[in-house]
Amino acid sequence: MNEQGVSERGFRAEEIDTSRPHPARMYDYYLGGWDNYEVDRQAAEHVIQAHPQVKLSARANRAFLRRAVRECVGDGIRQIIDIGTGIPTSPNTHEVARETADDVKVAYVDNDPIVATHAGAKLTSAGHAAFVLGDVRRPEEILAHPVVRELIDFDEPVAVLLVAVLHFVKDEEDPAGIVAALGAALAPGSRLVLSHATAEPYEGYDGGYTDVRARDSVLGAYRNATASLNLRGRAAIEPLFGDFALQDPGLVRVPLWRPDGPVPSAEELSNTVFYGGVGVKA
Protein backbone atom coordinates (compact mmCIF):
# COMPACT_ATOMS: atom_id res chain seq x y z
CA MET A 1 0.00 0.00 0.00
CA ASN A 2 1.16 3.54 -0.68
CA GLU A 3 0.64 6.59 1.54
CA GLN A 4 -2.95 6.98 0.31
CA GLY A 5 -3.73 3.36 1.16
CA VAL A 6 -3.96 2.33 -2.48
CA SER A 7 -2.30 -0.92 -3.49
CA GLU A 8 -0.16 -1.40 -6.55
CA ARG A 9 -3.09 -3.46 -7.92
CA GLY A 10 -5.44 -0.50 -7.93
CA PHE A 11 -7.71 -0.88 -4.90
CA ARG A 12 -7.94 0.89 -1.59
CA ALA A 13 -7.46 -0.88 1.74
CA GLU A 14 -11.05 -0.13 2.77
CA GLU A 15 -12.30 -2.01 -0.31
CA ILE A 16 -11.34 -5.28 1.39
CA ASP A 17 -14.63 -6.35 2.96
CA THR A 18 -14.06 -8.54 6.01
CA SER A 19 -17.57 -8.00 7.41
CA ARG A 20 -19.18 -10.61 5.13
CA PRO A 21 -18.01 -14.08 4.08
CA HIS A 22 -16.41 -14.31 0.66
CA PRO A 23 -16.74 -17.56 -1.33
CA ALA A 24 -13.04 -17.57 -2.26
CA ARG A 25 -11.99 -17.35 1.38
CA MET A 26 -14.56 -20.00 2.40
CA TYR A 27 -13.19 -22.28 -0.31
CA ASP A 28 -9.69 -21.66 1.02
CA TYR A 29 -10.93 -22.82 4.42
CA TYR A 30 -12.43 -26.00 2.93
CA LEU A 31 -9.04 -26.76 1.38
CA GLY A 32 -7.28 -26.28 4.72
CA GLY A 33 -5.85 -22.84 3.95
CA TRP A 34 -5.19 -19.99 6.37
CA ASP A 35 -5.96 -16.97 4.20
CA ASN A 36 -9.43 -16.34 5.59
CA TYR A 37 -11.17 -14.38 8.33
CA GLU A 38 -13.37 -15.31 11.26
CA VAL A 39 -16.50 -14.39 9.31
CA ASP A 40 -15.42 -16.77 6.52
CA ARG A 41 -14.64 -19.57 8.98
CA GLN A 42 -17.99 -19.22 10.70
CA ALA A 43 -19.88 -19.41 7.40
CA ALA A 44 -17.75 -22.33 6.21
CA GLU A 45 -18.31 -24.22 9.45
CA HIS A 46 -22.06 -23.69 9.01
CA VAL A 47 -21.78 -25.33 5.59
CA ILE A 48 -19.64 -28.16 6.97
CA GLN A 49 -22.20 -28.90 9.68
CA ALA A 50 -24.94 -29.15 7.05
CA HIS A 51 -22.80 -31.03 4.54
CA PRO A 52 -19.67 -32.55 6.13
CA GLN A 53 -18.45 -33.79 2.74
CA VAL A 54 -17.94 -30.27 1.40
CA LYS A 55 -14.20 -30.60 1.96
CA LEU A 56 -14.27 -33.76 -0.15
CA SER A 57 -16.05 -31.82 -2.90
CA ALA A 58 -13.51 -29.00 -2.76
CA ARG A 59 -10.57 -31.39 -3.03
CA ALA A 60 -12.21 -33.31 -5.88
CA ASN A 61 -12.91 -30.09 -7.74
CA ARG A 62 -9.31 -28.95 -7.31
CA ALA A 63 -8.09 -32.31 -8.62
CA PHE A 64 -10.36 -31.91 -11.66
CA LEU A 65 -8.75 -28.54 -12.37
CA ARG A 66 -5.30 -30.11 -12.27
CA ARG A 67 -6.24 -32.95 -14.62
CA ALA A 68 -8.02 -30.61 -17.03
CA VAL A 69 -5.08 -28.20 -17.16
CA ARG A 70 -2.67 -31.06 -17.86
CA GLU A 71 -4.92 -32.29 -20.68
CA CYS A 72 -5.18 -28.81 -22.22
CA VAL A 73 -1.44 -28.22 -22.12
CA GLY A 74 -0.81 -31.76 -23.38
CA ASP A 75 -3.02 -30.89 -26.36
CA GLY A 76 -0.85 -27.90 -27.18
CA ILE A 77 -2.52 -25.02 -25.32
CA ARG A 78 0.07 -22.54 -24.10
CA GLN A 79 -2.19 -19.75 -22.77
CA ILE A 80 -4.63 -19.88 -19.87
CA ILE A 81 -7.07 -17.37 -18.37
CA ASP A 82 -8.07 -18.58 -14.91
CA ILE A 83 -11.18 -16.63 -13.88
CA GLY A 84 -12.22 -16.81 -10.24
CA THR A 85 -8.86 -18.26 -9.30
CA GLY A 86 -9.43 -17.81 -5.58
CA ILE A 87 -6.84 -17.81 -2.81
CA PRO A 88 -3.61 -19.33 -4.18
CA THR A 89 -3.40 -23.04 -3.31
CA SER A 90 -0.34 -24.95 -4.49
CA PRO A 91 -0.04 -26.45 -6.97
CA ASN A 92 -1.57 -23.45 -8.72
CA THR A 93 -2.61 -23.38 -12.37
CA HIS A 94 0.74 -22.16 -13.69
CA GLU A 95 2.61 -24.76 -11.62
CA VAL A 96 0.44 -27.58 -12.96
CA ALA A 97 0.71 -26.32 -16.54
CA ARG A 98 4.48 -26.00 -16.40
CA GLU A 99 4.87 -29.59 -15.32
CA THR A 100 4.08 -30.31 -18.97
CA ALA A 101 5.39 -27.20 -20.76
CA ASP A 102 7.46 -24.46 -19.15
CA ASP A 103 6.37 -21.74 -21.60
CA VAL A 104 2.68 -21.60 -20.61
CA LYS A 105 1.33 -18.11 -19.88
CA VAL A 106 -1.37 -17.67 -17.25
CA ALA A 107 -3.61 -14.67 -16.56
CA TYR A 108 -5.31 -14.97 -13.18
CA VAL A 109 -8.56 -13.09 -12.52
CA ASP A 110 -10.51 -12.67 -9.28
CA ASN A 111 -12.81 -10.06 -7.77
CA ASP A 112 -11.48 -10.35 -4.20
CA PRO A 113 -8.76 -7.79 -3.37
CA ILE A 114 -7.40 -10.20 -0.76
CA VAL A 115 -6.59 -12.65 -3.56
CA ALA A 116 -4.68 -9.82 -5.22
CA THR A 117 -2.54 -9.32 -2.13
CA HIS A 118 -1.31 -12.90 -2.43
CA ALA A 119 -0.97 -12.97 -6.21
CA GLY A 120 2.42 -11.29 -6.49
CA ALA A 121 4.22 -13.72 -4.22
CA LYS A 122 2.39 -16.92 -5.09
CA LEU A 123 1.04 -16.57 -8.62
CA THR A 124 3.04 -14.11 -10.68
CA SER A 125 6.57 -14.25 -9.30
CA ALA A 126 7.56 -17.10 -11.61
CA GLY A 127 7.10 -14.95 -14.74
CA HIS A 128 4.78 -15.35 -17.74
CA ALA A 129 1.89 -14.91 -15.30
CA ALA A 130 -0.20 -11.92 -14.28
CA PHE A 131 -3.11 -11.06 -12.00
CA VAL A 132 -6.12 -8.88 -12.83
CA LEU A 133 -8.75 -7.70 -10.38
CA GLY A 134 -11.94 -8.40 -12.33
CA ASP A 135 -15.43 -9.87 -12.13
CA VAL A 136 -16.68 -12.74 -14.27
CA ARG A 137 -19.99 -10.86 -14.62
CA ARG A 138 -18.14 -8.30 -16.77
CA PRO A 139 -16.29 -10.50 -19.27
CA GLU A 140 -15.68 -7.69 -21.74
CA GLU A 141 -13.69 -5.79 -19.10
CA ILE A 142 -11.56 -8.86 -18.42
CA LEU A 143 -10.86 -9.42 -22.11
CA ALA A 144 -10.02 -5.75 -22.70
CA HIS A 145 -7.79 -5.35 -19.66
CA PRO A 146 -4.32 -4.19 -20.78
CA VAL A 147 -2.56 -6.75 -18.60
CA VAL A 148 -4.55 -9.57 -20.21
CA ARG A 149 -4.01 -8.12 -23.68
CA GLU A 150 -0.26 -7.85 -23.10
CA LEU A 151 0.07 -11.44 -21.88
CA ILE A 152 -2.47 -13.33 -24.01
CA ASP A 153 -2.40 -13.60 -27.81
CA PHE A 154 -6.04 -14.04 -28.81
CA ASP A 155 -5.04 -15.15 -32.29
CA GLU A 156 -3.82 -18.39 -30.72
CA PRO A 157 -5.85 -20.94 -28.72
CA VAL A 158 -6.52 -20.15 -25.06
CA ALA A 159 -7.88 -22.27 -22.23
CA VAL A 160 -10.44 -20.36 -20.14
CA LEU A 161 -11.00 -21.77 -16.67
CA LEU A 162 -14.36 -21.21 -15.00
CA VAL A 163 -13.88 -23.67 -12.17
CA ALA A 164 -16.47 -23.38 -9.38
CA VAL A 165 -17.40 -19.88 -10.55
CA LEU A 166 -20.69 -19.80 -12.46
CA HIS A 167 -22.75 -21.08 -9.55
CA PHE A 168 -22.13 -17.65 -8.02
CA VAL A 169 -23.81 -16.05 -11.04
CA LYS A 170 -27.59 -15.67 -10.89
CA ASP A 171 -29.82 -16.62 -13.81
CA GLU A 172 -30.68 -12.95 -14.37
CA GLU A 173 -26.96 -12.21 -14.68
CA ASP A 174 -26.90 -14.52 -17.73
CA PRO A 175 -24.16 -17.12 -17.13
CA ALA A 176 -24.59 -18.47 -20.67
CA GLY A 177 -24.07 -14.97 -22.05
CA ILE A 178 -20.88 -14.64 -20.02
CA VAL A 179 -19.48 -17.82 -21.54
CA ALA A 180 -20.55 -16.72 -25.03
CA ALA A 181 -18.80 -13.36 -24.61
CA LEU A 182 -15.60 -15.06 -23.52
CA GLY A 183 -15.81 -17.64 -26.27
CA ALA A 184 -16.35 -15.05 -28.99
CA ALA A 185 -12.91 -13.59 -28.29
CA LEU A 186 -11.09 -16.93 -28.56
CA ALA A 187 -9.40 -18.60 -31.50
CA PRO A 188 -10.55 -22.01 -32.80
CA GLY A 189 -9.09 -24.84 -30.77
CA SER A 190 -9.50 -22.94 -27.52
CA ARG A 191 -10.76 -24.77 -24.45
CA LEU A 192 -13.38 -24.07 -21.79
CA VAL A 193 -12.80 -25.81 -18.46
CA LEU A 194 -15.96 -25.51 -16.37
CA SER A 195 -17.21 -26.95 -13.10
CA HIS A 196 -20.46 -26.13 -11.33
CA ALA A 197 -22.16 -27.12 -8.07
CA THR A 198 -25.40 -29.08 -8.07
CA ALA A 199 -27.97 -30.49 -5.66
CA GLU A 200 -28.79 -33.44 -7.89
CA PRO A 201 -28.14 -36.95 -6.59
CA TYR A 202 -25.76 -39.15 -8.50
CA GLU A 203 -27.75 -41.58 -10.66
CA GLY A 204 -30.62 -41.76 -8.23
CA TYR A 205 -28.54 -42.09 -5.06
CA ASP A 206 -30.65 -40.65 -2.23
CA GLY A 207 -28.95 -38.89 0.68
CA GLY A 208 -26.14 -36.55 1.64
CA TYR A 209 -26.17 -33.11 0.13
CA THR A 210 -29.40 -33.78 -1.75
CA ASP A 211 -31.28 -33.75 1.56
CA VAL A 212 -33.53 -30.69 1.39
CA ARG A 213 -32.68 -29.43 4.86
CA ALA A 214 -28.94 -29.77 4.27
CA ARG A 215 -29.22 -28.03 0.92
CA ASP A 216 -31.26 -25.14 2.33
CA SER A 217 -28.81 -24.70 5.19
CA VAL A 218 -25.90 -24.47 2.75
CA LEU A 219 -27.75 -21.97 0.57
CA GLY A 220 -28.50 -19.90 3.66
CA ALA A 221 -24.81 -19.67 4.55
CA TYR A 222 -24.02 -18.27 1.11
CA ARG A 223 -27.02 -15.95 1.11
CA ASN A 224 -25.18 -13.79 3.64
CA ALA A 225 -21.92 -13.91 1.68
CA THR A 226 -20.70 -11.49 -0.97
CA ALA A 227 -22.13 -13.84 -3.63
CA SER A 228 -25.07 -16.20 -3.32
CA LEU A 229 -24.90 -19.86 -4.32
CA ASN A 230 -27.04 -20.87 -7.30
CA LEU A 231 -27.23 -24.65 -7.62
CA ARG A 232 -28.13 -26.03 -11.05
CA GLY A 233 -28.85 -29.45 -12.45
CA ARG A 234 -26.97 -31.13 -15.28
CA ALA A 235 -29.67 -30.13 -17.77
CA ALA A 236 -29.05 -26.47 -16.94
CA ILE A 237 -25.25 -26.67 -16.72
CA GLU A 238 -24.52 -28.41 -20.02
CA PRO A 239 -26.01 -25.61 -22.18
CA LEU A 240 -23.56 -23.17 -20.56
CA PHE A 241 -20.86 -24.64 -22.82
CA GLY A 242 -22.63 -23.05 -25.79
CA ASP A 243 -20.49 -23.43 -28.92
CA PHE A 244 -17.79 -25.36 -27.06
CA ALA A 245 -18.07 -29.06 -27.98
CA LEU A 246 -17.71 -31.25 -24.89
CA GLN A 247 -14.77 -33.62 -24.92
CA ASP A 248 -15.15 -37.19 -23.65
CA PRO A 249 -16.48 -38.17 -21.18
CA GLY A 250 -18.78 -35.12 -21.39
CA LEU A 251 -20.24 -33.37 -18.37
CA VAL A 252 -19.80 -35.67 -15.37
CA ARG A 253 -19.18 -35.60 -11.64
CA VAL A 254 -15.66 -34.25 -11.37
CA PRO A 255 -14.02 -37.47 -10.08
CA LEU A 256 -15.22 -39.19 -13.27
CA TRP A 257 -13.56 -36.73 -15.66
CA ARG A 258 -10.56 -38.69 -16.95
CA PRO A 259 -9.66 -40.04 -13.50
CA ASP A 260 -6.06 -40.88 -12.66
CA GLY A 261 -7.01 -43.05 -9.68
CA PRO A 262 -9.78 -45.28 -8.30
CA VAL A 263 -13.35 -44.24 -9.09
CA PRO A 264 -15.32 -43.30 -5.93
CA SER A 265 -18.46 -45.11 -4.80
CA ALA A 266 -21.95 -43.90 -5.75
CA GLU A 267 -22.37 -42.39 -2.28
CA GLU A 268 -19.11 -40.46 -2.54
CA LEU A 269 -19.98 -39.30 -6.07
CA SER A 270 -23.35 -38.05 -4.85
CA ASN A 271 -21.65 -36.14 -2.05
CA THR A 272 -19.13 -34.69 -4.52
CA VAL A 273 -21.42 -31.91 -5.63
CA PHE A 274 -19.59 -30.66 -8.72
CA TYR A 275 -20.20 -31.43 -12.36
CA GLY A 276 -17.23 -30.77 -14.62
CA GLY A 277 -16.32 -30.84 -18.27
CA VAL A 278 -13.98 -29.47 -20.93
CA GLY A 279 -15.19 -28.03 -24.22
CA VAL A 280 -13.35 -27.23 -27.45
CA LYS A 281 -14.13 -24.29 -29.73
CA ALA A 282 -14.55 -25.58 -33.26
Side-chain angles (χ1 to χ4, degrees):
M1 298 288 177
N2 64 17
E3 293 179 357
Q4 287 74 43
V6 179
S7 81
E8 63 181 6
R9 301 191 183 279
F11 60 88
R12 301 185 64 83
E14 57 266 27
E15 291 181 46
I16 300 177
D17 184 1
T18 60
S19 66
R20 300 169 64 196
H22 191 288
R25 302 194 299 260
M26 292 171 65
Y27 192 74
D28 175 68
Y29 184 78
Y30 300 146
L31 291 171
W34 297 94
D35 297 315
N36 45 70
Y37 293 87
E38 183 62 25
V39 66
D40 307 306
R41 293 188 285 273
Q42 289 178 354
E45 282 295 338
H46 182 90
V47 173
I48 291 168
Q49 288 177 13
H51 178 57
Q53 299 87 354
V54 66
K55 292 183 178 181
L56 168 72
S57 290
R59 291 194 297 269
N61 187 61
R62 193 73 186 176
F64 161 72
L65 180 151
R66 294 194 295 268
R67 296 195 304 276
V69 167
R70 291 189 188 107
E71 290 281 348
C72 289
V73 177
D75 287 343
I77 300 293
R78 294 295 181 267
Q79 305 181 108
I80 299 172
I81 303 177
D82 185 350
I83 301 176
T85 184
I87 303 291
T89 302
S90 190
N92 292 291
T93 298
H94 71 279
E95 294 168 329
V96 174
R98 290 172 190 173
E99 291 172 0
T100 302
D102 59 11
D103 59 341
V104 178
K105 300 177 181 179
V106 181
Y108 291 99
V109 182
D110 202 280
N111 69 348
D112 184 2
I114 291 178
V115 175
T117 66
H118 295 279
K122 297 183 179 180
L123 298 180
T124 64
S125 59
H128 297 298
F131 180 87
V132 170
L133 198 64
D135 195 310
V136 69
R137 297 169 185 82
R138 296 189 289 275
E140 293 83 0
E141 292 181 13
I142 293 172
L143 294 168
H145 196 287
V147 172
V148 173
R149 285 286 166 181
E150 182 178 353
L151 185 67
I152 302 297
D153 180 0
F154 285 94
D155 291 328
E156 297 294 329
V158 180
V160 171
L161 275 53
L162 293 173
V163 176
V165 174
L166 291 181
H167 48 243
F168 296 115
V169 178
K170 300 175 184 177
D171 288 342
E172 57 266 33
E173 293 171 322
D174 192 13
I178 290 170
V179 175
L182 292 167
L186 305 181
S190 293
R191 302 295 198 274
L192 171 65
V193 179
L194 187 155
S195 69
H196 194 296
T198 187
E200 286 183 340
Y202 173 72
E203 294 185 354
Y205 180 83
D206 187 19
Y209 186 54
T210 59
D211 178 83
V212 173
R213 287 175 297 179
R215 181 193 64 203
D216 289 349
S217 186
V218 170
L219 292 174
Y222 280 96
R223 199 170 294 122
N224 297 320
T226 57
S228 62
L229 182 61
N230 304 274
L231 302 174
R232 297 182 174 96
R234 189 179 186 279
I237 298 169
E238 187 165 349
L240 297 178
F241 282 86
D243 293 335
F244 289 88
L246 278 162
Q247 293 183 294
D248 289 336
L251 183 67
V252 295
R253 293 297 170 108
V254 287
L256 299 178
W257 197 89
R258 304 191 181 184
D260 53 10
V263 175
S265 66
E267 179 180 3
E268 188 173 337
L269 287 169
S270 196
N271 283 319
T272 304
V273 300
F274 290 102
Y275 281 111
V278 177
V280 182
K281 183 174 180 178

